[in-house]
Amino acid sequence: MASVGYSPDAMSYTTIMSSMCKLGKVEEARKLAMRFRLYVSVYNALISGFCGEYKLKEAFGLLDEMLVEGLDPDVRTYSMIINSLSNVANVEFSLAVFAKMFLRGCSPNIYTFSSLIKGYFIAGRVHEAFDFWNQMMREGLEANLVVYNTVIHGLCLNGKVGDAVYVSCQMEENGCHPNVTSYSSLINGFAKAGDLVGASEAWNKMITNGCHPNVVAYTSMVDVLCRHGMFDQAHSLIEKMVLENCSPNTVTFNVFIKGLCSSGRVEWAIKVLDQMGHYGCASNIIIYNELLDGLFKVNRLKEAFGLVREIEEKGIEWNLVTYNTILSGFCHASMLEEALQLIGKMLAQGIKPDAVTYNIIIFTYCKRGKVKIAVQLLDRIHSGGDWHPDIYTSLLWGLCNWIGTEEAISHLKKMINEGICPNVTTRMC
């Protein structure tokens, strides 16, 4: 445009920048923007792009650049940054940006408060989330559907489903009707609590009020049905999803497979894995981890190791849970040499063993009476600084059963001297 004598205005710039950022070309948009005069709306488009990629350092850099250029960031600028910080529960920085808004004379809006409330809920700081709710009310801002849904989801996330139900009722009394997102959060909250009755009531109310279930609502119902061993009903619900043009996703199948494996129904779980492709869903390492755990628990080692080969052939990257699951399988089968080789492979892949990893090995050695080897391993862990009460618990159990209580008491004192607080399991040894 500039080459033929036309000067693009703020709207043109913003449209170009926004389009590039949505296509994932944020860095290119930034370089292009440096060639032209920048407006607040253009900065906002770039900040939105960087925030969407969680490149907060770059977003803060643009915010500082705006101030240097004499441009006043608006409420959208601050709200986007606060929202990105809240998504990763970085509430301290969110609060600092919020304070900066006030110092710059920029008043927060409903979305600013919604983002702050979300961040504190994600961080598990429920009381402070409601402090911002109250501050929002004092500012004369009425809660809308977005804010109510944020609060309902946050309460359910923190296990306070009863309070979430109360908020949903209060929401209706204030003339703001719950939507599918509201009900999905409630159903998911009840499902995580294993409350089939509560989940069913929320589901029925959603249908009665004319809301069509989304994939989250369906998946949550599948979850709670599986928790109650109602696998036929869960499977029927997945089939109903397809009929209702709401395709199940990988999370739906993961929930179903996890439920089946937890109850020892690995045959059915394997069939579900094979059927996933018909629904356009690809298996991932989370699903394979559930299947491996299920197969090892019912001593179907040959099939489990066959599944390990399948994972490798598909080029699916293992995570820490995969290693720990296979490690547990090796130890359960008394394949200690293979277990130690697997730990070596973990380290070679740059995956750091955790307390679960060490606990599996130490418990296995102790169970077989090789307590001295377990003590040596624990000393090696100590030198690396990887401590957890559960690691000591397995060793204390071995000492009590194979060597004697005096040696166990000696190690318990050492544990306390190292500043490691015994947990309930430790006290029961």
Side-chain angles (χ1 to χ4, degrees):
M1 291 173 72
S3 63
V4 292
Y6 292 99
S7 179
D9 60 8
M11 184 176 291
S12 302
Y13 279 138
T14 305
T15 302
I16 294 167
M17 295 300 119
S18 295
S19 298
M20 291 182 72
C21 289
K22 285 176 182 177
L23 292 170
K25 298 180 178 180
V26 187
E27 295 291 349
E28 292 93 327
R30 175 72 180 112
K31 289 175 185 176
L32 180 63
M34 292 172 69
R35 295 166 52 189
F36 303 102
R37 177 186 174 186
L38 296 183
Y39 302 90
V40 171
S41 58
V42 176
Y43 272 109
N44 283 348
L46 292 169
I47 288 172
S48 176
F50 281 121
C51 286
E53 295 180 356
Y54 290 102
K55 293 181 177 178
L56 297 177
K57 183 180 178 181
E58 289 83 349
F60 272 108
L62 287 171
L63 180 63
D64 292 338
E65 187 180 305
M66 289 178 74
L67 299 174
V68 171
E69 293 292 331
L71 294 172
D72 287 323
D74 61 16
V75 65
R76 185 165 181 261
T77 317
Y78 289 113
S79 295
M80 285 188 295
I81 293 174
I82 289 171
N83 186 59
S84 289
L85 289 165
S86 293
N87 284 336
V88 292
N90 195 336
V91 290
E92 282 74 21
F93 272 111
S94 293
L95 193 58
V97 175
F98 186 63
K100 194 170 187 176
M101 280 185 74
F102 277 101
L103 290 174
R104 299 286 305 179
C106 182
S107 299
N109 63 15
I110 196 80
Y111 297 103
T112 317
F113 280 108
S114 178
S115 296
L116 282 164
I117 291 167
K118 175 177 63 177
Y120 277 92
F121 273 126
I122 292 172
R125 294 161 67 169
V126 177
H127 290 296
E128 287 159 286
F130 274 106
D131 286 342
F132 280 105
W133 169 277
N134 293 329
Q135 184 178 343
M136 181 185 75
M137 296 299 184
R138 287 196 298 272
E139 294 283 333
L141 297 170
E142 283 189 22
N144 62 8
L145 184 61
V146 173
V147 180
Y148 275 120
N149 281 346
T150 300
V151 173
I152 289 168
H153 178 75
L155 287 168
C156 290
L157 186 68
N158 286 276
K160 298 182 179 293
V161 192
D163 292 337
V165 172
Y166 173 79
V167 171
S168 71
C169 293
Q170 189 180 54
M171 175 182 181
E172 290 186 85
E173 289 175 6
N174 291 335
C176 185
H177 299 288
N179 64 1
V180 66
T181 303
S182 322
Y183 290 115
S184 295
S185 293
L186 289 172
I187 294 165
N188 188 50
F190 281 119
K192 292 291 181 284
D195 187 346
L196 179 58
V197 174
S200 298
E201 287 177 353
W203 175 275
N204 291 335
K205 189 172 182 180
M206 174 179 65
I207 301 299
T208 301
N209 288 339
C211 291
H212 295 287
N214 60 13
V215 69
V216 176
Y218 273 114
T219 301
S220 298
M221 282 303 298
V222 169
D223 183 17
V224 74
L225 288 168
C226 287
R227 287 170 187 254
H228 285 262
M230 301 170 68
F231 301 110
D232 289 326
Q233 292 88 333
H235 185 255
S236 296
L237 197 60
I238 292 173
E239 291 181 333
K240 184 181 178 182
M241 288 179 72
V242 179
L243 294 173
E244 295 290 334
N245 292 319
C246 181
S247 299
N249 60 17
T250 304
V251 179
T252 314
F253 286 111
N254 179 52
V255 164
F256 190 39
I257 287 171
K258 180 179 181 179
L260 291 168
C261 289
S262 297
S263 67
R265 303 189 183 199
V266 288
E267 291 273 5
W268 192 352
I270 291 169
K271 287 180 182 177
V272 173
L273 176 70
D274 294 336
Q275 292 168 357
M276 283 180 64
H278 298 305
Y279 297 95
C281 293
S283 54
N284 59 18
I285 195 60
I286 298 171
I287 289 175
Y288 277 114
N289 288 344
E290 296 295 347
L291 284 165
L292 284 171
D293 186 52
L295 287 166
F296 280 126
K297 281 180 177 175
V298 294
N299 296 315
R300 293 171 63 166
L301 304 182
K302 185 178 179 180
E303 288 163 270
F305 293 129
L307 200 61
V308 171
R309 285 192 296 273
E310 183 181 319
I311 297 168
E312 291 178 328
E313 288 167 3
K314 288 186 174 182
I316 299 174
E317 189 175 346
W318 298 14
N319 60 18
L320 181 59
V321 177
T322 316
Y323 280 103
N324 284 344
T325 303
I326 298 170
L327 184 68
S328 179
F330 277 140
C331 290
H332 189 70
S334 300
M335 300 166 68
L336 292 179
E337 187 176 336
E338 289 83 352
L340 293 174
Q341 288 175 358
L342 187 64
I343 292 178
K345 182 180 177 181
M346 283 180 71
L347 297 172
Q349 293 293 326
I351 296 179
K352 186 180 179 182
D354 65 354
V356 175
T357 316
Y358 291 123
N359 196 45
I360 291 167
I361 292 289
I362 288 174
F363 179 73
T364 302
Y365 276 120
C366 289
K367 191 176 179 181
R368 282 155 180 76
K370 299 179 180 181
V371 184
K372 289 185 178 179
I373 297 176
V375 172
Q376 291 171 3
L377 181 57
L378 190 65
D379 289 338
R380 202 177 302 171
I381 298 166
H382 179 226
S383 64
D386 295 309
W387 284 100
H388 192 276
D390 287 342
I391 299 174
Y392 248 124
T393 300
S394 293
L395 181 65
L396 293 175
W397 178 88
L399 290 167
C400 288
N401 282 275
W402 293 97
I403 296 180
T405 54
E406 287 185 13
E407 190 73 17
I409 290 169
S410 173
H411 276 80
L412 180 61
K413 288 179 180 177
K414 181 182 177 182
M415 175 183 178
I416 294 168
N417 290 335
E418 293 289 344
I420 302 166
C421 182
N423 58 22
V424 176
T425 312
T426 311
R427 297 186 185 100
M428 292 173 67
C429 284

